[in-house]
Amino acid sequence: MGLILPYLATLMVFFFIYNIFTWGLNIQFGYAGVLDFTFITFVACGAYFAGVFALGPGSKQTGFEWILGLNWPFPIALLAGAAAAGILGLIIGLIAINRLRSDYMAIVTLAAGTVIYGLVSNFTPLFDGFDGLAGLTQPFSQILPLNSNQFTYLWVLVSGVVMVVCWFIAQRILNSPLGRTMRATRDDQDAADTFGKDTVRVRLIAMSMGAVLAGVGGALLMGFIGAFSPAGWTSGETFVVFAAMIVGGTGNNWGGVVGSFVVAVLINEATRYIPPIQADPTLIPTVRNMLIGASLIVVLWVRPQGIIPEARRRLYQLPLRPGKPPAAEVESA
Amino acid sequence: MPDTDALLQVEHLSHSFGGFKAVDDCSFDIARGSISALIGPNGAGKSTVVGLIGGALRNQSGSIHFDGHDISRMAAFKVARLGLLRTYQVSREFGRLTVMENLLVPPPNQKGENLLNVLFRPSVGRGEDRMLVDRAVEVLETFGLLSLRDEYAANLSGGEKRLLELARAVMAQPKFMLLDEPMAGINPALIARLDSHIRRLRDELGITFLLVEHNLDVVERICDRVVVMAFGRTLAEGRMSELRQNPEVVRAYLGGGLDERAAG
Ligand SMILES: Nc1ncnc2c1ncn2[C@@H]1O[C@H](COP(=O)(O)OP(=O)(O)OP(=O)(O)O)[C@@H](O)[C@H]1O
Ligand SMILES: [Mg+2]
């Protein structure tokens, strides 16, 4: 009992944060059809910027070196991380989306992410290179001095509140005329163009808003763990979020919740707490990745639209001819 | 030469793919309020001309004027915002949107597409949508698609998709509609319905039409004026009945093929 509660609370925090991730990726891919293969870079951007806003100044002498170091309160640091990620989303989007379509665009995002990864991990004055940021004191510790278990419970609350705000952002976009135009752009960009829609702009908005949610989640991670380094955002992490989104179902946010629960909580995070077998410490992560891959394959095989498919919107109610479900999708309740 | 009553003026348009000249010095005018046709054998360059006018392709030389604006090399969405809508030879519906949603995409300047309104004043978009839905219901009713309004567009039959393309375009309240083979692959009963819709839209809403069409009966029935293209060039212009007598036009349609096509 003494151990299980903090353990569950920790899983809860990761679940909440992963929900924010899947919704962010869903805005990009599920709504607007933007293939962003470097989603984790925006997570990192949010984490790093939240970190350097909240941390004290670094210095070369101590061996902990980073930009800014403003000692600002965590809520402001979180907003700064979100804004930085949104701006980075816009920049990478401008390079990738402006001139290119679908597959090439995805490759450009991947390339941009690789360049940024190399830069951040090797150029120490930025975020202390491969060692990364560390030593963030518990956010809110001045007002609320807590032991580490109590802090975990506090973070369930903090990330829960932030998650609810992100839910409203994601839902408002999805259910708006803007969301409809995003989905039209996803289905046929040329046709949306010929109806006077500035589809490049629409996709940039989706890219940037998705990156904002990634940055928010990254900032929450930073605040929770107190440290963040390149080992935590290898490109494989992007595919964990993709797997979660696709398993749960794209184009709706409940799908993201289910997907992040299955992939990011049940499979990904839960296995991390099983003690590694002495003989082979890489066994657990390998099993985790195999399970994520297998769940993706199973879902794509038996239910390609995901566990929760995109909802059909009925905008005008009258007696009508009963609709047949589309070939690739089934109407959700 | 500039005809004041011309809504669309195409002058000396050329476009090559690689080294191949698909459109080669093509010129014609379309009069405001007319229903015109662009005809010609397969590969004549008709769809390429449509793409150039609509902005999907950037013309390499020549100019295109629409309603007082130079739209040569203008981006497709900007051309559309001036009131020129084109359709594609193959239906291009938004498959995972319902029929109703397909109709709600085209109306221009929707306040609900503004991110700040979306995040902070969602009621703005909802209020606007209620009015658009009412208009869409009327349009769907005239096209006989109301009962399909909640169906995913991807599930419609070929003919229903053609009707949807027209209905969707009407929602944008265009001045000019450029239809690339709107009757391709649909049954004769629906062809009759489509051509009466086109005439009705011209008469009631004053929309000018240019149709790329292989069915010369339809062309003869509804089009005031016909532009004939062959090998990327404009070959002749006039009424269909005159063009049938034009030996050059007849030859372009593979030696007498014109009469067979007209009969079939
Ligand atoms: N993207 C492209 N790349 C290369 N060649 C092309 C391309 N698009 C069209 N062409 C060629 O340009 C010529 C004109 O094509 P276009 O589609 O404009 O003809 P069309 O008059 O519309 O014919 P159809 O009646 O069969 O639709 C054809 O020879 C075609 O093969
Ligand atoms: Mg064609």
Short mmCIF file of all heavy atoms in Angstrom, two decimals, chain A residues 162-225:
data_model
loop_
_atom_site.label_atom_id
_atom_site.label_comp_id
_atom_site.label_asym_id
_atom_site.label_seq_id
_atom_site.Cartn_x
_atom_site.Cartn_y
_atom_site.Cartn_z
N VAL A 162 -3.96 20.91 -16.42
CA VAL A 162 -3.42 21.32 -17.72
C VAL A 162 -4.01 20.44 -18.83
O VAL A 162 -4.36 20.93 -19.91
CB VAL A 162 -1.88 21.23 -17.71
CG1 VAL A 162 -1.32 21.50 -19.10
CG2 VAL A 162 -1.30 22.21 -16.70
N MET A 163 -4.16 19.15 -18.53
CA MET A 163 -4.73 18.24 -19.53
C MET A 163 -6.14 18.67 -19.91
O MET A 163 -6.51 18.66 -21.09
CB MET A 163 -4.75 16.81 -18.98
CG MET A 163 -5.41 15.82 -19.91
SD MET A 163 -5.53 14.17 -19.19
CE MET A 163 -6.89 14.40 -18.06
N VAL A 164 -6.94 19.06 -18.92
CA VAL A 164 -8.31 19.48 -19.22
C VAL A 164 -8.31 20.71 -20.13
O VAL A 164 -9.09 20.80 -21.09
CB VAL A 164 -9.10 19.74 -17.91
CG1 VAL A 164 -10.41 20.44 -18.21
CG2 VAL A 164 -9.34 18.43 -17.17
N VAL A 165 -7.41 21.64 -19.85
CA VAL A 165 -7.31 22.82 -20.72
C VAL A 165 -6.95 22.38 -22.15
O VAL A 165 -7.56 22.85 -23.13
CB VAL A 165 -6.26 23.82 -20.18
CG1 VAL A 165 -6.04 24.96 -21.17
CG2 VAL A 165 -6.70 24.36 -18.82
N CYS A 166 -5.99 21.47 -22.27
CA CYS A 166 -5.59 20.98 -23.60
C CYS A 166 -6.74 20.26 -24.30
O CYS A 166 -6.91 20.36 -25.52
CB CYS A 166 -4.38 20.04 -23.48
SG CYS A 166 -2.89 20.89 -23.01
N TRP A 167 -7.53 19.52 -23.53
CA TRP A 167 -8.70 18.84 -24.09
C TRP A 167 -9.63 19.87 -24.74
O TRP A 167 -10.10 19.69 -25.86
CB TRP A 167 -9.44 18.07 -22.99
CG TRP A 167 -10.80 17.59 -23.37
CD1 TRP A 167 -12.00 18.22 -23.13
CD2 TRP A 167 -11.13 16.39 -24.08
NE1 TRP A 167 -13.04 17.49 -23.62
CE2 TRP A 167 -12.54 16.35 -24.21
CE3 TRP A 167 -10.37 15.35 -24.60
CZ2 TRP A 167 -13.20 15.30 -24.85
CZ3 TRP A 167 -11.04 14.30 -25.24
CH2 TRP A 167 -12.43 14.29 -25.36
N PHE A 168 -9.87 20.97 -24.04
CA PHE A 168 -10.77 21.98 -24.61
C PHE A 168 -10.18 22.60 -25.86
O PHE A 168 -10.89 22.84 -26.83
CB PHE A 168 -11.13 23.04 -23.56
CG PHE A 168 -12.24 22.58 -22.67
CD1 PHE A 168 -12.01 22.18 -21.36
CD2 PHE A 168 -13.54 22.51 -23.17
CE1 PHE A 168 -13.04 21.73 -20.55
CE2 PHE A 168 -14.58 22.06 -22.37
CZ PHE A 168 -14.33 21.67 -21.05
N ILE A 169 -8.88 22.83 -25.86
CA ILE A 169 -8.25 23.38 -27.06
C ILE A 169 -8.45 22.41 -28.23
O ILE A 169 -8.91 22.79 -29.31
CB ILE A 169 -6.74 23.64 -26.82
CG1 ILE A 169 -6.56 24.76 -25.80
CG2 ILE A 169 -6.03 23.97 -28.13
CD1 ILE A 169 -5.11 25.00 -25.39
N ALA A 170 -8.11 21.14 -27.99
CA ALA A 170 -8.19 20.15 -29.07
C ALA A 170 -9.64 19.99 -29.55
O ALA A 170 -9.90 19.91 -30.75
CB ALA A 170 -7.64 18.81 -28.59
N GLN A 171 -10.57 19.95 -28.62
CA GLN A 171 -11.97 19.76 -28.99
C GLN A 171 -12.54 20.98 -29.72
O GLN A 171 -13.30 20.84 -30.67
CB GLN A 171 -12.83 19.48 -27.74
CG GLN A 171 -12.65 18.10 -27.18
CD GLN A 171 -13.22 17.03 -28.10
OE1 GLN A 171 -12.49 16.42 -28.86
NE2 GLN A 171 -14.52 16.82 -28.06
N ARG A 172 -12.19 22.15 -29.25
CA ARG A 172 -12.70 23.35 -29.91
C ARG A 172 -12.21 23.43 -31.35
O ARG A 172 -12.97 23.80 -32.24
CB ARG A 172 -12.29 24.60 -29.13
CG ARG A 172 -13.16 24.80 -27.92
CD ARG A 172 -13.03 26.17 -27.32
NE ARG A 172 -14.04 26.31 -26.27
CZ ARG A 172 -14.17 27.36 -25.48
NH1 ARG A 172 -13.33 28.38 -25.62
NH2 ARG A 172 -15.12 27.41 -24.57
N ILE A 173 -10.96 23.08 -31.56
CA ILE A 173 -10.46 23.11 -32.94
C ILE A 173 -11.20 22.05 -33.77
O ILE A 173 -11.69 22.34 -34.86
CB ILE A 173 -8.94 22.86 -32.99
CG1 ILE A 173 -8.20 24.01 -32.29
CG2 ILE A 173 -8.46 22.73 -34.43
CD1 ILE A 173 -6.70 23.81 -32.18
N LEU A 174 -11.31 20.84 -33.21
CA LEU A 174 -11.93 19.75 -33.97
C LEU A 174 -13.36 20.10 -34.38
O LEU A 174 -13.78 19.83 -35.50
CB LEU A 174 -11.92 18.47 -33.14
CG LEU A 174 -12.55 17.23 -33.79
CD1 LEU A 174 -11.77 16.84 -35.04
CD2 LEU A 174 -12.59 16.07 -32.81
N ASN A 175 -14.11 20.70 -33.46
CA ASN A 175 -15.53 20.92 -33.71
C ASN A 175 -15.83 22.26 -34.37
O ASN A 175 -17.00 22.64 -34.47
CB ASN A 175 -16.30 20.79 -32.40
CG ASN A 175 -16.23 19.37 -31.87
OD1 ASN A 175 -16.25 18.42 -32.63
ND2 ASN A 175 -16.11 19.23 -30.56
N SER A 176 -14.82 22.96 -34.80
CA SER A 176 -15.03 24.28 -35.39
C SER A 176 -15.00 24.20 -36.91
O SER A 176 -14.57 23.20 -37.48
CB SER A 176 -13.91 25.21 -34.94
OG SER A 176 -12.70 24.81 -35.57
N PRO A 177 -15.46 25.26 -37.58
CA PRO A 177 -15.28 25.33 -39.03
C PRO A 177 -13.80 25.21 -39.44
O PRO A 177 -13.50 24.62 -40.48
CB PRO A 177 -15.83 26.71 -39.37
CG PRO A 177 -16.86 26.97 -38.31
CD PRO A 177 -16.29 26.36 -37.06
N LEU A 178 -12.90 25.70 -38.59
CA LEU A 178 -11.48 25.53 -38.88
C LEU A 178 -11.11 24.05 -38.91
O LEU A 178 -10.39 23.59 -39.80
CB LEU A 178 -10.63 26.26 -37.84
CG LEU A 178 -9.11 26.11 -37.97
CD1 LEU A 178 -8.61 26.71 -39.27
CD2 LEU A 178 -8.39 26.74 -36.78
N GLY A 179 -11.62 23.30 -37.93
CA GLY A 179 -11.36 21.87 -37.90
C GLY A 179 -11.92 21.18 -39.13
O GLY A 179 -11.31 20.27 -39.68
N ARG A 180 -13.09 21.62 -39.57
CA ARG A 180 -13.70 21.05 -40.77
C ARG A 180 -12.82 21.32 -41.98
O ARG A 180 -12.59 20.43 -42.82
CB ARG A 180 -15.08 21.68 -40.96
CG ARG A 180 -15.86 21.18 -42.14
CD ARG A 180 -17.29 21.66 -42.07
NE ARG A 180 -17.41 23.10 -42.09
CZ ARG A 180 -18.25 23.81 -41.34
NH1 ARG A 180 -19.05 23.21 -40.50
NH2 ARG A 180 -18.29 25.12 -41.43
N THR A 181 -12.31 22.54 -42.07
CA THR A 181 -11.43 22.87 -43.19
C THR A 181 -10.13 22.06 -43.11
O THR A 181 -9.61 21.62 -44.13
CB THR A 181 -11.14 24.38 -43.21
OG1 THR A 181 -12.38 25.07 -43.31
CG2 THR A 181 -10.26 24.76 -44.37
N MET A 182 -9.64 21.83 -41.87
CA MET A 182 -8.46 20.98 -41.73
C MET A 182 -8.74 19.58 -42.26
O MET A 182 -7.93 19.00 -42.98
CB MET A 182 -8.04 20.88 -40.26
CG MET A 182 -7.35 22.12 -39.72
SD MET A 182 -6.93 21.89 -37.96
CE MET A 182 -6.13 23.45 -37.64
N ARG A 183 -9.91 19.03 -41.89
CA ARG A 183 -10.22 17.67 -42.32
C ARG A 183 -10.43 17.61 -43.83
O ARG A 183 -10.08 16.62 -44.48
CB ARG A 183 -11.43 17.14 -41.55
CG ARG A 183 -11.10 16.91 -40.06
CD ARG A 183 -12.24 16.25 -39.31
NE ARG A 183 -13.44 17.06 -39.37
CZ ARG A 183 -14.61 16.63 -39.80
NH1 ARG A 183 -14.78 15.39 -40.20
NH2 ARG A 183 -15.64 17.45 -39.83
N ALA A 184 -11.00 18.68 -44.39
CA ALA A 184 -11.15 18.73 -45.85
C ALA A 184 -9.78 18.76 -46.52
O ALA A 184 -9.54 18.06 -47.51
CB ALA A 184 -11.97 19.96 -46.24
N THR A 185 -8.87 19.53 -45.94
CA THR A 185 -7.50 19.61 -46.47
C THR A 185 -6.82 18.25 -46.39
O THR A 185 -6.11 17.85 -47.31
CB THR A 185 -6.69 20.64 -45.66
OG1 THR A 185 -7.39 21.89 -45.69
CG2 THR A 185 -5.32 20.83 -46.23
N ARG A 186 -7.07 17.55 -45.29
CA ARG A 186 -6.52 16.20 -45.13
C ARG A 186 -7.04 15.27 -46.22
O ARG A 186 -6.29 14.53 -46.84
CB ARG A 186 -6.94 15.68 -43.75
CG ARG A 186 -6.67 14.21 -43.51
CD ARG A 186 -7.51 13.69 -42.35
NE ARG A 186 -8.92 13.63 -42.70
CZ ARG A 186 -9.90 13.44 -41.81
NH1 ARG A 186 -9.64 13.33 -40.54
NH2 ARG A 186 -11.16 13.38 -42.21
N ASP A 187 -8.36 15.35 -46.48
CA ASP A 187 -8.96 14.43 -47.46
C ASP A 187 -8.53 14.75 -48.88
O ASP A 187 -8.37 13.84 -49.70
CB ASP A 187 -10.49 14.48 -47.35
CG ASP A 187 -11.00 13.74 -46.14
OD1 ASP A 187 -10.18 13.16 -45.40
OD2 ASP A 187 -12.22 13.74 -45.91
N ASP A 188 -8.41 16.01 -49.23
CA ASP A 188 -8.01 16.38 -50.59
C ASP A 188 -7.53 17.83 -50.60
O ASP A 188 -8.33 18.76 -50.69
CB ASP A 188 -9.19 16.21 -51.56
CG ASP A 188 -8.73 16.29 -53.01
OD1 ASP A 188 -7.75 16.99 -53.29
OD2 ASP A 188 -9.37 15.64 -53.86
N GLN A 189 -6.23 17.97 -50.51
CA GLN A 189 -5.68 19.32 -50.41
C GLN A 189 -5.96 20.16 -51.65
O GLN A 189 -6.32 21.33 -51.55
CB GLN A 189 -4.17 19.26 -50.15
CG GLN A 189 -3.58 20.65 -49.90
CD GLN A 189 -2.12 20.63 -49.55
OE1 GLN A 189 -1.50 19.58 -49.43
NE2 GLN A 189 -1.55 21.79 -49.36
N ASP A 190 -5.83 19.55 -52.84
CA ASP A 190 -6.07 20.31 -54.06
C ASP A 190 -7.50 20.81 -54.14
O ASP A 190 -7.75 21.95 -54.51
CB ASP A 190 -5.77 19.44 -55.30
CG ASP A 190 -4.28 19.15 -55.41
OD1 ASP A 190 -3.48 19.97 -54.96
OD2 ASP A 190 -3.95 18.07 -55.94
N ALA A 191 -8.44 19.94 -53.78
CA ALA A 191 -9.84 20.34 -53.84
C ALA A 191 -10.11 21.47 -52.85
O ALA A 191 -10.83 22.41 -53.15
CB ALA A 191 -10.75 19.15 -53.57
N ALA A 192 -9.51 21.38 -51.65
CA ALA A 192 -9.70 22.46 -50.68
C ALA A 192 -9.12 23.77 -51.22
O ALA A 192 -9.72 24.83 -51.07
CB ALA A 192 -9.03 22.09 -49.35
N ASP A 193 -7.99 23.68 -51.90
CA ASP A 193 -7.41 24.84 -52.56
C ASP A 193 -8.38 25.46 -53.55
O ASP A 193 -8.56 26.68 -53.58
CB ASP A 193 -6.17 24.41 -53.37
CG ASP A 193 -4.88 24.67 -52.62
OD1 ASP A 193 -4.83 25.64 -51.86
OD2 ASP A 193 -3.94 23.88 -52.80
N THR A 194 -9.02 24.62 -54.35
CA THR A 194 -9.89 25.17 -55.39
C THR A 194 -11.19 25.72 -54.81
O THR A 194 -11.95 26.33 -55.53
CB THR A 194 -10.23 24.13 -56.47
OG1 THR A 194 -10.89 23.04 -55.85
CG2 THR A 194 -9.00 23.63 -57.18
N PHE A 195 -11.42 25.51 -53.53
CA PHE A 195 -12.54 26.20 -52.90
C PHE A 195 -12.08 27.42 -52.12
O PHE A 195 -12.77 27.91 -51.23
CB PHE A 195 -13.34 25.26 -52.00
CG PHE A 195 -14.22 24.36 -52.80
CD1 PHE A 195 -13.96 23.01 -52.89
CD2 PHE A 195 -15.29 24.88 -53.50
CE1 PHE A 195 -14.76 22.20 -53.66
CE2 PHE A 195 -16.09 24.07 -54.28
CZ PHE A 195 -15.82 22.72 -54.35
N GLY A 196 -10.89 27.91 -52.43
CA GLY A 196 -10.44 29.16 -51.85
C GLY A 196 -9.85 29.03 -50.47
O GLY A 196 -9.69 30.03 -49.77
N LYS A 197 -9.55 27.80 -50.06
CA LYS A 197 -8.96 27.62 -48.73
C LYS A 197 -7.44 27.74 -48.85
O LYS A 197 -6.83 27.09 -49.71
CB LYS A 197 -9.32 26.24 -48.16
CG LYS A 197 -10.81 26.00 -48.06
CD LYS A 197 -11.47 26.99 -47.12
CE LYS A 197 -12.96 27.05 -47.38
NZ LYS A 197 -13.64 28.03 -46.53
N ASP A 198 -6.85 28.55 -47.99
CA ASP A 198 -5.40 28.69 -47.96
C ASP A 198 -4.85 27.49 -47.20
O ASP A 198 -4.61 27.54 -46.00
CB ASP A 198 -5.04 30.00 -47.26
CG ASP A 198 -3.56 30.31 -47.36
OD1 ASP A 198 -2.79 29.41 -47.73
OD2 ASP A 198 -3.18 31.45 -47.05
N THR A 199 -4.68 26.39 -47.92
CA THR A 199 -4.39 25.12 -47.23
C THR A 199 -3.00 25.11 -46.58
O THR A 199 -2.79 24.41 -45.61
CB THR A 199 -4.51 23.92 -48.18
OG1 THR A 199 -3.65 24.15 -49.29
CG2 THR A 199 -5.93 23.76 -48.68
N VAL A 200 -2.09 25.89 -47.12
CA VAL A 200 -0.76 25.96 -46.49
C VAL A 200 -0.91 26.58 -45.10
O VAL A 200 -0.39 26.07 -44.11
CB VAL A 200 0.22 26.79 -47.36
CG1 VAL A 200 1.49 27.08 -46.59
CG2 VAL A 200 0.54 26.03 -48.64
N ARG A 201 -1.68 27.64 -45.04
CA ARG A 201 -1.92 28.31 -43.76
C ARG A 201 -2.65 27.38 -42.78
O ARG A 201 -2.27 27.28 -41.61
CB ARG A 201 -2.77 29.56 -44.04
CG ARG A 201 -2.99 30.46 -42.88
CD ARG A 201 -4.02 31.53 -43.28
NE ARG A 201 -4.83 31.87 -42.14
CZ ARG A 201 -4.50 32.80 -41.25
NH1 ARG A 201 -3.39 33.50 -41.44
NH2 ARG A 201 -5.24 33.04 -40.22
N VAL A 202 -3.65 26.69 -43.29
CA VAL A 202 -4.42 25.77 -42.45
C VAL A 202 -3.51 24.69 -41.86
O VAL A 202 -3.57 24.36 -40.68
CB VAL A 202 -5.57 25.14 -43.27
CG1 VAL A 202 -6.16 23.94 -42.56
CG2 VAL A 202 -6.63 26.18 -43.55
N ARG A 203 -2.63 24.15 -42.69
CA ARG A 203 -1.71 23.12 -42.22
C ARG A 203 -0.68 23.67 -41.25
O ARG A 203 -0.27 22.99 -40.31
CB ARG A 203 -1.01 22.46 -43.41
CG ARG A 203 -1.98 21.69 -44.25
CD ARG A 203 -1.31 21.04 -45.42
NE ARG A 203 -1.94 19.75 -45.62
CZ ARG A 203 -1.31 18.67 -46.03
NH1 ARG A 203 -0.05 18.70 -46.32
NH2 ARG A 203 -1.96 17.55 -46.16
N LEU A 204 -0.26 24.90 -41.49
CA LEU A 204 0.69 25.52 -40.56
C LEU A 204 0.05 25.72 -39.19
O LEU A 204 0.68 25.50 -38.15
CB LEU A 204 1.16 26.88 -41.10
CG LEU A 204 2.29 26.83 -42.11
CD1 LEU A 204 2.60 28.23 -42.64
CD2 LEU A 204 3.54 26.22 -41.49
N ILE A 205 -1.21 26.12 -39.17
CA ILE A 205 -1.91 26.29 -37.90
C ILE A 205 -1.96 24.94 -37.17
O ILE A 205 -1.67 24.85 -35.97
CB ILE A 205 -3.34 26.84 -38.11
CG1 ILE A 205 -3.27 28.28 -38.63
CG2 ILE A 205 -4.15 26.78 -36.81
CD1 ILE A 205 -4.62 28.86 -39.01
N ALA A 206 -2.29 23.88 -37.92
CA ALA A 206 -2.37 22.56 -37.29
C ALA A 206 -1.01 22.13 -36.76
O ALA A 206 -0.89 21.62 -35.64
CB ALA A 206 -2.89 21.53 -38.30
N MET A 207 0.02 22.34 -37.58
CA MET A 207 1.38 21.98 -37.16
C MET A 207 1.75 22.70 -35.88
O MET A 207 2.25 22.12 -34.92
CB MET A 207 2.34 22.36 -38.30
CG MET A 207 3.78 22.01 -38.06
SD MET A 207 4.05 20.25 -38.30
CE MET A 207 5.83 20.18 -38.18
N SER A 208 1.48 24.00 -35.86
CA SER A 208 1.89 24.82 -34.73
C SER A 208 1.07 24.50 -33.48
O SER A 208 1.63 24.37 -32.38
CB SER A 208 1.75 26.28 -35.11
OG SER A 208 2.21 27.09 -34.08
N MET A 209 -0.23 24.33 -33.63
CA MET A 209 -1.06 24.03 -32.45
C MET A 209 -0.72 22.64 -31.89
O MET A 209 -0.70 22.44 -30.68
CB MET A 209 -2.55 24.10 -32.80
CG MET A 209 -3.07 25.51 -33.00
SD MET A 209 -2.66 26.64 -31.66
CE MET A 209 -3.58 25.93 -30.29
N GLY A 210 -0.43 21.70 -32.78
CA GLY A 210 0.00 20.38 -32.31
C GLY A 210 1.31 20.48 -31.55
O GLY A 210 1.50 19.86 -30.50
N ALA A 211 2.21 21.34 -32.06
CA ALA A 211 3.50 21.52 -31.39
C ALA A 211 3.32 22.19 -30.04
O ALA A 211 4.04 21.88 -29.08
CB ALA A 211 4.43 22.35 -32.28
N VAL A 212 2.35 23.10 -29.94
CA VAL A 212 2.08 23.74 -28.65
C VAL A 212 1.69 22.68 -27.61
O VAL A 212 2.23 22.66 -26.50
CB VAL A 212 0.95 24.80 -28.78
CG1 VAL A 212 0.41 25.17 -27.41
CG2 VAL A 212 1.47 26.04 -29.50
N LEU A 213 0.81 21.76 -27.99
CA LEU A 213 0.43 20.73 -27.04
C LEU A 213 1.63 19.84 -26.70
O LEU A 213 1.83 19.47 -25.53
CB LEU A 213 -0.72 19.86 -27.57
CG LEU A 213 -2.10 20.52 -27.72
CD1 LEU A 213 -3.20 19.48 -27.57
CD2 LEU A 213 -2.33 21.64 -26.75
N ALA A 214 2.45 19.53 -27.70
CA ALA A 214 3.67 18.76 -27.43
C ALA A 214 4.52 19.49 -26.41
O ALA A 214 5.03 18.89 -25.45
CB ALA A 214 4.45 18.55 -28.73
N GLY A 215 4.66 20.81 -26.59
CA GLY A 215 5.50 21.61 -25.69
C GLY A 215 4.93 21.66 -24.28
O GLY A 215 5.68 21.58 -23.29
N VAL A 216 3.61 21.74 -24.18
CA VAL A 216 2.96 21.73 -22.86
C VAL A 216 3.28 20.42 -22.15
O VAL A 216 3.69 20.41 -20.98
CB VAL A 216 1.44 21.92 -23.00
CG1 VAL A 216 0.74 21.61 -21.69
CG2 VAL A 216 1.12 23.34 -23.45
N GLY A 217 3.13 19.31 -22.87
CA GLY A 217 3.43 18.01 -22.27
C GLY A 217 4.90 17.91 -21.87
O GLY A 217 5.22 17.41 -20.78
N GLY A 218 5.78 18.44 -22.72
CA GLY A 218 7.21 18.42 -22.40
C GLY A 218 7.51 19.22 -21.14
O GLY A 218 8.29 18.80 -20.28
N ALA A 219 6.86 20.38 -21.02
CA ALA A 219 7.08 21.22 -19.84
C ALA A 219 6.61 20.49 -18.58
O ALA A 219 7.26 20.56 -17.53
CB ALA A 219 6.34 22.54 -20.01
N LEU A 220 5.48 19.79 -18.69
CA LEU A 220 4.99 19.03 -17.52
C LEU A 220 5.98 17.93 -17.13
O LEU A 220 6.22 17.68 -15.95
CB LEU A 220 3.63 18.42 -17.82
CG LEU A 220 2.44 19.39 -17.85
CD1 LEU A 220 1.18 18.69 -18.34
CD2 LEU A 220 2.21 20.00 -16.46
N LEU A 221 6.57 17.29 -18.14
CA LEU A 221 7.59 16.27 -17.87
C LEU A 221 8.78 16.89 -17.14
O LEU A 221 9.27 16.34 -16.15
CB LEU A 221 8.10 15.67 -19.19
CG LEU A 221 7.39 14.47 -19.78
CD1 LEU A 221 8.12 14.02 -21.04
CD2 LEU A 221 7.33 13.32 -18.79
N MET A 222 9.22 18.03 -17.65
CA MET A 222 10.35 18.73 -17.04
C MET A 222 10.05 19.04 -15.57
O MET A 222 10.88 18.80 -14.69
CB MET A 222 10.60 20.02 -17.82
CG MET A 222 11.75 20.85 -17.30
SD MET A 222 13.33 20.11 -17.70
CE MET A 222 14.32 20.63 -16.31
N GLY A 223 8.88 19.57 -15.33
CA GLY A 223 8.51 19.93 -13.96
C GLY A 223 8.43 18.72 -13.04
O GLY A 223 8.75 18.78 -11.86
N PHE A 224 8.00 17.60 -13.61
CA PHE A 224 7.80 16.39 -12.82
C PHE A 224 9.13 15.72 -12.49
O PHE A 224 9.41 15.37 -11.34
CB PHE A 224 6.91 15.42 -13.60
CG PHE A 224 6.52 14.20 -12.83
CD1 PHE A 224 5.99 14.30 -11.55
CD2 PHE A 224 6.65 12.94 -13.39
CE1 PHE A 224 5.61 13.17 -10.85
CE2 PHE A 224 6.28 11.80 -12.70
CZ PHE A 224 5.75 11.93 -11.42
N ILE A 225 9.98 15.57 -13.51
CA ILE A 225 11.23 14.83 -13.33
C ILE A 225 12.35 15.75 -12.83
O ILE A 225 13.25 15.31 -12.13
CB ILE A 225 11.64 14.15 -14.66
CG1 ILE A 225 10.52 13.22 -15.11
CG2 ILE A 225 12.93 13.37 -14.51
CD1 ILE A 225 10.67 12.71 -16.53
#
